[in-house]
Amino acid sequence: MLLCDIGNTTYHFFDGIEHYKKDAKLFDPSSIKEEIFYICVNKQAKELIKPLKNWIDLSTYVDMRNYYETMGIDRVTSCEAIEDGVIVDAGSAVTIDVVKSGRFEGGFIYPGSKAMNECYRNISDALAYSFNFELDLGKMPKNSRDAISYGYLKLLRNEVVSYGMDIYLTGGDAAEFAKIFPYSHIDETLLFKGMKNIMKKANIC
Amino acid sequence: MLLCDIGNTTYHFFDGIEHYKKDAKLFDPSSIKEEIFYICVNKQAKELIKPLKNWIDLSTYVDMRNYYETMGIDRVTSCEAIEDGVIVDAGSAVTIDVVKSGRFEGGFIYPGSKAMNECYRNISDALAYSFNFELDLGKMPKNSRDAISYGYLKLLRNEVVSYGMDIYLTGGDAAEFAKIFPYSHIDETLLFKGMKNIMKKANIC
């Protein structure tokens, strides 16, 4: 059984043993001939997949009553993966979602590191620094690079840690963000666990 | 005595009684004939003012040993205005600076609301909302507009409030940010107080 999480930049596959990614711009979904279950937030990819009968959209099997209408299916699926905890999915956006006793309690959206870097750069050339993920967040900064790194990272870390829950870290930038969440569970396949749980609940596996 | 704080978008004047602003693109600094003390973070304006003898640059009078080299002169000047507290200067960037017993303890830089709005919009059209400054920050969001508003505003508020100090709110967006800092001192002329203190210390007034 093949699973696929289609984002804006990649198709992320899981074959039950290994996971691997393909560039969303280059990959042709019709090259897959076997049955494949997917979620997708990528508009272009949605159009390509629509006519393909072996691609099965898992979003239609989710009980959306616990979520909200415009919530991304990737966030919903991550929430389905855990019973209790806070999920930090660090990609082009960083989404933070809280699940208690298997129920979505709410969440928020923070810019991803690339977008936030551009944001600071657009304000002023003087703020065009990469973030320092190794920064000591216990100290007030006294230089420009640390001043923007603290603004971006300390505020996020404190909010997430304040929930006092297990932290599940996933997404393309998970390894970078692990530096500010040292006690988190890093799980690149969290979304696939959510997909499997959706399939179990819907009795399709 | 005339004071002027020159930012990227405006010349902000204070004549000892009233303060008023002029558009930085349209204002001609040579139209002022009397002695005027200024600080400036605007490169274009700096060039225009350089040959004008009656414009006196206060940045040369500041004891910079308490600050860091690349720190904006506007942030430095605000810090000179207070003895104890945290300054939130909400403009194109939001700068947050902590002063204890008249000494700069460090600070950080967060994007201004316009820049952060653009940042979310650049990530996805689905995040192109204006911020909800009236949001109840005690509740986890369950819709997209609140999810980005919480990400931007709650994290900043909690960090600033966590210092347990008096909050001094200034800058063009001070009135908006007052909604998330209801117990702050709003002071549009904070920078001019800092300028006066610099002049007193340097014995030039």
Side-chain angles (χ1 to χ4, degrees), chain A residues 43 66 68 70-71 75 92-93 96 98 104-112 115-116 118-120 122-123 125 127 129 140-144 147-148 150-152 154-156 158-159 163, chain B residues 43 66 68 70-71 75 92-93 96 98 104-112 115-116 118-120 122-123 125 127 129 140-144 147-148 150-152 154-156 158-159 163:
Chain A
K43 278 183 194 168
N66 286 334
Y68 62 86
T70 59
M71 189 170 167
R75 289 175 64 194
S92 55
I96 295 91
V98 171
F104 171 64
E105 294 284 312
F108 69 93
I109 304 172
Y110 203 58
M116 193 70 150
E118 266 177 45
C119 179
Y120 280 114
N122 288 341
I123 294 170
D125 287 346
L127 303 180
Y129 294 95
M140 287 298 284
K142 289 197 172 180
N143 68 65
S144 300
I148 64 159
Y150 184 103
Y152 180 50
K154 165 83 187 305
L155 276 54
L156 177 66
N158 273 21
E159 176 69 19
Y163 305 147
Chain B
K43 277 184 194 168
N66 285 335
Y68 63 85
T70 58
M71 188 170 167
R75 288 175 64 194
S92 55
I96 294 91
V98 172
F104 171 64
E105 294 284 312
F108 69 94
I109 304 172
Y110 203 58
M116 194 71 149
E118 266 178 44
C119 179
Y120 280 113
N122 289 341
I123 295 170
D125 287 346
L127 303 180
Y129 294 95
M140 287 299 283
K142 288 196 173 182
N143 68 65
S144 299
I148 64 159
Y150 185 101
Y152 180 50
K154 165 86 187 303
L155 277 54
L156 177 66
N158 272 21
E159 176 68 18
Y163 304 147

Side-chain angles (χ1 to χ4, degrees), chain A residues 23-199:
Chain A
D23 188 319
K25 281 191 195 116
L26 304 174
F27 183 73
D28 174 9
S30 73
S31 65
I32 306 267
K33 302 298 177 198
E34 64 186 289
E35 193 176 56
I36 177 163
F37 296 89
Y38 75 96
I39 58 160
C40 179
V41 296
N42 178 328
K43 278 183 194 168
Q44 284 79 38
K46 259 183 199 164
E47 290 305 309
L48 289 176
I49 285 168
K50 215 186 255 176
L52 306 174
K53 297 267 183 267
N54 60 320
W55 285 75
I56 296 151
D57 184 358
L58 275 183
S59 72
T60 62
Y61 293 95
V62 182
D63 180 355
M64 283 295 289
R65 284 173 299 182
N66 286 334
Y67 302 98
Y68 62 86
E69 205 186 325
T70 59
M71 189 170 167
I73 187 64
D74 46 354
R75 289 175 64 194
V76 170
T77 305
S78 296
C79 289
E80 293 286 325
I82 65 169
E83 266 296 300
D84 281 285
V86 50
I87 298 158
V88 178
D89 187 343
S92 55
V94 182
T95 55
I96 295 91
D97 289 304
V98 171
V99 180
K100 277 186 192 163
S101 306
R103 207 183 154 81
F104 171 64
E105 294 284 312
F108 69 93
I109 304 172
Y110 203 58
S113 67
K114 192 167 157 259
M116 193 70 150
N117 253 142
E118 266 177 45
C119 179
Y120 280 114
R121 190 182 302 117
N122 288 341
I123 294 170
S124 165
D125 287 346
L127 303 180
Y129 294 95
S130 61
F131 295 118
N132 177 10
F133 280 84
E134 272 93 15
L135 180 65
D136 176 356
L137 298 179
K139 265 189 192 166
M140 287 298 284
K142 289 197 172 180
N143 68 65
S144 300
R145 187 183 178 213
D146 290 352
I148 64 159
S149 302
Y150 184 103
Y152 180 50
L153 300 173
K154 165 83 187 305
L155 276 54
L156 177 66
R157 191 199 63 177
N158 273 21
E159 176 69 19
V160 171
V161 169
S162 76
Y163 305 147
M165 304 181 89
D166 273 17
I167 299 166
Y168 294 86
L169 196 49
T170 190
D173 290 339
E176 276 289 66
F177 279 81
K179 293 173 188 165
I180 62 163
F181 297 113
Y183 300 108
S184 58
H185 312 275
I186 302 176
D187 190 347
E188 288 187 85
T189 61
L190 189 74
L191 234 130
F192 300 119
K193 286 180 188 154
M195 290 173 80
K196 280 190 212 161
N197 286 341
I198 291 167
M199 293 168 75

